[in-house]
């Protein structure tokens, strides 16, 4: 046999041996060698409960330990810590729970007199509000509810009940139903658009205040609130100002009308968990409803209770209800990495990752409750072996056999590491450098100018050693260029790619944008020209992803209004049940205020009704013949905004009716564009189905279907709304850079025959919270800041960082495959801010070390690198000897 044939045969047989013989004979499959850990404990509890057996299980088997949810967003830390994308759904739940708590607290206390009783939210208001929470936030919120304490709700929808009578329990809850099996759903795939709404206070098992009620962990966090002991700690008095308008172009009063109300607690930075306004429950099984493991964010609704009583001395602010938002436990990312600075305790799953000692664990988002949501990156001072491309992925490790695990997943040590010089080497100009000899180049680089004439003996020794290193490095480089020359041209093109170089034109534009942003402020904005108050549209790149939660807050209100305006037929009566009235202006003011108060990234929020589309009920005891059929306002544009206080303290909130301004909001371009798109053509609206089950009587003896069952409504999706370009709103209200999301809402026309455009909902999110991405990206990506990162792309690649806000340098430069991090400073990447700063010094002609911020070619492979080789060879030898 010729040698070639033998080798080929050997390799072939060797591969066969590797893939067939080895696993059967010598290795252990993952489940046989990995020891059970804390993940398995929870997974067993998780999978032992199902929709069929949950009723018979004791309460403790229906809850998981609280520590299984790590890094819960805390209200008083939201501003001072970065909330990463792996917690953005929880943050949105947190904010929505708070949003509903503010809304109901405000409306109960604002409309507190007896003649306002009928302007309070009616039954469908509660149902539709909860349905909108769910339908507008797929991927964020799976269920929304409001549970009242015993005898704490005053229903205005029973015509037989006097105004001052309460009903025992009332708990409307809406959740996304799995509708795959509906007769109308021929695809047999959940559509995400069907919502079940039940009243938990009706029917069998309605006493959810009872401790024997197994799945009510939300109740005991806030209620019963009988004694007033913790009132000072757990209730807070908010004050908001509202400026009403009664006719187009005029305000009713010139001043803002202040209203104070009691609301959820408002802790300071240092306060403990007791006074947080939003608390999360431990994961529990939603038995009999969605039959999933869920986690709830809960916030209390405060009312001055009893609302209607002749005994004034009995009244005090009291938690009357709890607003909750639920998410599936399975969708919440866990962090399997060991406890560290970015992974504080309590974290039940900490340390279940299987990274080896030469690597570090980094969580990956989007894995939820599943093993392997992490990657193992090389420790500082180590680099990836040549046969592995980038970090070792967690799920690869989790399915490794014992042998694979023991041999692989290790990084190799970097030898000859340098220390960052304290004195910066002088910046050497490129032109000069090309004529210098290699030796002087080296000396220039390592030796500070001031010292260069006469190095001390110690320095000399050091230099000689460095020179040796340097020679070796040159040798390696030479070898590399040789190899590169052999390679085809195409591979070199990749390195020369335009995308991989800093785009200096984009940098100049970037500077202009940042300058414009920083130089425009509330004091000088009036003197600027109109176009100077805008940034280019591509400066808001990524806003639809990063501010999705804020956009969906506006979408929620659009869904609610669409549902209400399409399904509530004012003055309907169903026996004892009284239908909802028309919307009242105070309700919409309250909605926009709640949007702003519930989310610190939202600077302002508004609802703008189209001309002659806002119809209100006639005033009570109306005698004016003009208003028999109710009042129709030409314009109605409630708009709430936040006034930030510079030092730590509570922001102020104000609301104003845009109808009072002399410029009509319907003439603004953002309004006209939306209207032009949707006024005549509603193609593309999604149909949502809500299935309301209501109580049969005030006592709630049983649960029956609502008269209209199911309710359907057409509403926009998140993609149907539009993010406008960044703008400085110079209007004495917002006075800040914001990006605005605009989304339309729809109602029945006056003949109730078809759907028509009724107006838009807007949210202004603060531009400062937008992260910018300077890394290279595709030519078609509409991002003004792309290709401006100062990485050394020959040896590094760029990774954008989260939470760095609208500033320069929000990225890191990591070493490419085949390169290693040269410094001995516990890092393994170069920070974008350092790169930018050193570049700035370089261009300013100051001493800098920009030239040293590069990765160097990885050193010779050590023994560990060739373990795989040894494996292959040994099997080859085995095969060889057998033949
Ligand atoms: C209603 O609330 C306002 C403001 O909180 C308060 O001044 C007023 O006394 C309340 N009215 C009644 C009837 O409780
Ligand atoms: C809950 O929300 C997730 C997205 O976060 C979705 O995938 C899942 O289907 C929802 N569950 C139900 C029961 O609708
Ligand atoms: C309700 O109000 C009526 C008078 O308006 C009063 O006679 C009655 O006692 C009140 N009931 C309660 C429960 O407060
Ligand atoms: C609850 O409210 C009902 C009706 O208002 C009343 O008859 C009953 O006494 C109240 N129960 C308690 C414990 O306050
Ligand atoms: C339902 O929602 C989930 C999660 O957001 C998504 O993955 C799925 O594609 C949605 N289903 C449909 C039919 O849109
Ligand atoms: C509900 O349960 C609580 C706690 O066990 C009990 O005190 C209360 O009387 C019950 N209420 C009703 C109306 O059954
Ligand atoms: C609006 O309010 C002002 C001030 O209270 C009043 O003078 C005016 O008559 C009101 N206009 C209408 C149409 O009610
Ligand atoms: C979320 O991501 C951040 C940044 O990568 C990390 O520090 C944090 O530990 C992660 N949290 C969880 C629960 O995975
Ligand atoms: C890895 O580190 C742990 C703790 O530092 C140590 O106990 C273990 O012996 C190390 N394993 C190896 C293979 O170095
Ligand atoms: C809306 O509610 C307010 C607050 O009580 C009331 O004064 C106003 O008359 C109501 N508006 C209409 C049109 O009914």
């Amino acid at each position: 046999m010729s040698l070639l044939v033998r080798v080929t045969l050997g390799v072939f047989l060797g591969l066969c041996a590797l893939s067939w013989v080895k696993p059967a004979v010598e290795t252990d499959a993952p489940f046989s060698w990995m020891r059970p850990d804390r993940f398995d404990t929870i997974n067993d509890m998780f999978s032992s409960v199902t929709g069929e057996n949950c009723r018979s299980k004791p309460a403790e088997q229906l809850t998981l330990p609280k520590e299984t949810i790590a890094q819960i967003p805390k209200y008083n830390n939201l501003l001072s810590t970065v909330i990463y994308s792996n917690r953005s759904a929880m943050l949105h739940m947190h904010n929505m729970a708070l949003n509903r708590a503010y809304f109901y607290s405000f409306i109960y206390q604002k409309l507190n007199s007896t003649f306002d009783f009928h302007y309070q939210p009616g039954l469908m208001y509660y149902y539709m509000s909860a349905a909108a929470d769910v339908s507008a936030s797929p991927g964020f919120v799976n269920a929304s509810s409001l549970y009242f304490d015993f005898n704490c709700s005053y229903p205005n929808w029973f015509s037989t009940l006097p105004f001052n009578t309460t009903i025992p329990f009332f708990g409307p809850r809406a959740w996304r139903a799995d509708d795959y099996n509906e007769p109308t759903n021929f695809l047999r795939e959940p559509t995400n658009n069907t919502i079940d709404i039940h009243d938990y206070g009706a029917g069998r098992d309605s006493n959810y205040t009872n401790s024997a009620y197994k799945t009510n962990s939300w109740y005991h966090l806030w209620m019963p609130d009988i004694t007033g002991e913790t009132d000072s700690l757990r209730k807070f008095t908010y004050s908001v100002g509202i400026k009403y308008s009664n006719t187009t172009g005029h305000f009713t009063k010139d001043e803002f009308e202040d209203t104070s109300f009691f609301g959820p607690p408002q802790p300071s930075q240092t306060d403990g968990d007791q006074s947080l306004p939003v608390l999360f429950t431990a994961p529990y099984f939603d038995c009999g409803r969605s039959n999933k493991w869920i986690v709830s964010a809960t916030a209390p609704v405060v009312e001055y209770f009893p609302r209607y009583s002749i005994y004034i001395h009995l009244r005090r602010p009291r938690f009357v209800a709890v607003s909750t938002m639920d998410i599936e436990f399975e969708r919440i990312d866990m962090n399997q990495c060991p406890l560290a600075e970015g992974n504080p305790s309590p974290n039940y799953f900490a340390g279940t990752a299987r990274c080896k000692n030469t690597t570090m664990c980094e969580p990956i988002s989007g894995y939820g409750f599943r093993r392997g949501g992490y990657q193992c990156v090389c420790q500082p001072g180590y680099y990836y072996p040549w046969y592995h491309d980038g970090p070792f992925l967690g799920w690869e490790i989790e399915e490794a056999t014992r042998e694979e695990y023991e041999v692989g997943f290790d990084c190799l040590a970097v030898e000859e590491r340098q220390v960052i010089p304290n004195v910066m080497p002088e910046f050497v100009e490129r032109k000069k450098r090309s004529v210098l000899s290699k030796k002087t180049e080296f000396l220039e680089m390592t030796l500070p100018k001031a010292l260069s004439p006469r190095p001390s003996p110690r320095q000399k020794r050091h230099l000689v050693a460095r020179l040796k290193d340097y020679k070796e490095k040159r040798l390696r480089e030479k070898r590399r260029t040789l190899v590169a020359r052999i390679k085809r041209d195409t591979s070199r093109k990749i390195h020369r790619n335009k995308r991989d170089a800093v785009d200096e034109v984009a940098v100049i534009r970037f500077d202009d944008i940042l300058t414009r942003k920083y130089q425009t402020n509330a004091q000088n904005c009036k003197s600027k020209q109109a176009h100077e108050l805008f940034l280019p549209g591509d400066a808001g790149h990524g806003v639809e992803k990063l501010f999705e939660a804020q956009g969906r807050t506006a979408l929620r209100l659009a869904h609610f209004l669409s549902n209400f305006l399409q399904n509530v037929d004012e003055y309907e009566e169903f026996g004892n049940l009284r239908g909802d009235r028309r919307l009242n202006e105070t309700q919409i003011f309250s909605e926009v205020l709640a949007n702003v108060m519930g989310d610190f990234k939202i600077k302002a929020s508004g609802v703008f009704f189209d001309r002659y589309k806002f119809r209100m009920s006639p005033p009570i005891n109306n005698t004016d013949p003009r208003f028999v059929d109710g009042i129709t306002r030409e314009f109605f544009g409630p708009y709430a905004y936040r006034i930030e206080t510079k030092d730590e303290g509570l922001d102020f909130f104000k609301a104003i009716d845009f109808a009072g301004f002399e410029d009509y909001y319907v003439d603004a371009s953002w309004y006209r564009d939306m209207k032009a798109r949707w006024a005549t053509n509603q193609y593309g609206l999604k149909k949502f189905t809500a299935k309301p089950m209501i109580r049969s009587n005030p006592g709630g003896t049983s649960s029956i279907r609502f008269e209209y069952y199911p309710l359907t409504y057409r509403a926009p999706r998140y993609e149907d709304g539009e993010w406008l370009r960044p703008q400085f709103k110079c209007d004495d209200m917002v006075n800040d850079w914001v990006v605005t999301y605009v989304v339309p809402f729809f109602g029945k026309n006056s003949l109730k025959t078809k759907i028509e455009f009724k107006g838009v909902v807007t949210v202004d999110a603060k531009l400062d919270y937008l992260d910018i991405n300077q890394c290279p990206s595709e030519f078609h990506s509409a991002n003004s800041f792309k290709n401006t990162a100062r990485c050394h792309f020959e040896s590094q690649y760029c990774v954008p960082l989260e939470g760095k806000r609208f500033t320069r340098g929000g990225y890191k430069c990591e070493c490419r495959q085949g390169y290693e991090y040269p410094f001995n400073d516990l890092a393994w990447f170069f920070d974008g801010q350092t790169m930018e700063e050193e570049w700035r010094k370089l261009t300013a002609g100051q001493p800098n070390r920009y030239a040293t911020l590069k990765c160097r070619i990885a050193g010779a492979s050590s023994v560990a690198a060739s373990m795989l080789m040894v494996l292959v060879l040994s099997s080859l030898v085995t095969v060889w000897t057998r033949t």
Side-chain angles (χ1 to χ4, degrees), residues 409-428:
F409 308 116
D410 258 320
C411 287
L412 313 176
V414 172
E415 282 137 34
E416 307 153 5
R417 283 202 286 168
Q418 302 164 354
V419 176
I420 299 178
N422 265 337
V423 191
M424 307 292 166
E426 276 293 278
F427 159 57
V428 188

Side-chain angles (χ1 to χ4, degrees), residues 525-681:
C525 69
K526 289 250 162 43
S527 63
K528 303 244 174 195
Q529 298 196 329
H531 73 268
E532 289 178 306
L533 298 179
F534 286 95
L535 295 185
D538 57 0
H541 176 77
V543 64
E544 62 288 335
K545 197 83 211 103
L546 213 64
F547 287 164
E548 182 172 351
Q550 285 67 36
R552 288 193 183 278
T553 307
L555 187 69
R556 175 205 161 268
L557 190 47
H559 275 206
F560 167 73
L561 291 170
S562 298
N563 194 354
F564 200 92
L565 296 174
Q566 288 169 35
N567 287 307
V568 170
D569 200 353
E570 54 265 41
Y571 318 122
E572 268 184 323
E573 306 260 341
F574 315 98
N576 187 19
L577 186 69
R578 184 188 285 142
D580 279 34
R581 310 279 113 175
R582 287 182 188 153
L583 291 171
N584 178 287
E585 62 230 330
T586 309
Q587 292 168 350
I588 316 284
F589 268 114
S590 183
E591 289 280 0
V592 290
L593 274 167
N595 278 355
V596 180
M597 294 176 77
D599 188 339
F600 69 94
K601 286 186 187 164
I602 295 183
K603 197 70 186 159
S605 173
V607 175
F608 299 93
F609 278 84
D610 203 12
R611 213 178 264 251
Y612 297 114
K613 292 294 184 242
F614 185 64
R615 304 178 66 214
M616 300 181 292
S617 319
I620 298 277
N621 304 329
N622 174 48
T623 47
D624 193 332
R626 286 178 301 162
F627 299 146
V628 180
D629 197 28
I631 306 167
T632 303
R633 293 266 307 270
E634 182 180 9
F635 294 121
F636 181 51
Y639 180 81
Y641 56 96
R642 168 191 298 267
I643 302 166
E644 278 168 281
T645 41
K646 284 277 172 287
D647 40 326
E648 198 204 327
L650 185 68
D651 296 346
F652 295 112
F653 302 94
K654 292 210 161 146
I656 195 167
D657 188 349
F658 261 53
F661 289 118
E662 280 164 12
D663 299 336
Y664 300 157
Y665 59 78
V666 291
D667 295 335
S669 64
W670 50 266
Y671 187 91
R672 274 187 292 132
D673 291 349
M674 254 310 138
K675 186 171 174 184
R677 159 65 185 89
W678 294 102
T680 53
N681 180 358

Side-chain angles (χ1 to χ4, degrees), residues 114 154 162-166 308-311:
T114 50
Y154 292 96
F163 70 93
N164 55 5
T165 324
T166 55
Y308 311 106
S309 170
I310 35 176
Y311 307 109

Side-chain angles (χ1 to χ4, degrees), residues 365-403:
S365 71
Y367 266 73
F369 179 61
R370 214 157 25 116
R371 263 190 203 280
Y374 59 90
Q375 60 184 9
C376 304
V377 300
C378 287
Q379 291 270 16
Y382 289 82
Y383 66 96
Y384 299 110
W386 57 270
Y387 56 84
H388 202 279
D389 191 8
F392 306 105
L393 295 176
W395 61 267
E396 282 178 353
I397 299 180
E398 298 286 349
E399 58 191 31
T401 60
R402 181 198 288 262
E403 189 150 28

Side-chain angles (χ1 to χ4, degrees), residues 109-114 259-261 304 307-308 312 315:
Q109 291 167 63
K110 174 83 182 157
L111 304 184
N112 60 356
S113 40
T114 50
T259 309
S260 312
F261 69 101
Y304 207 56
R307 198 191 303 158
Y308 311 106
I312 303 288
R315 304 178 68 191

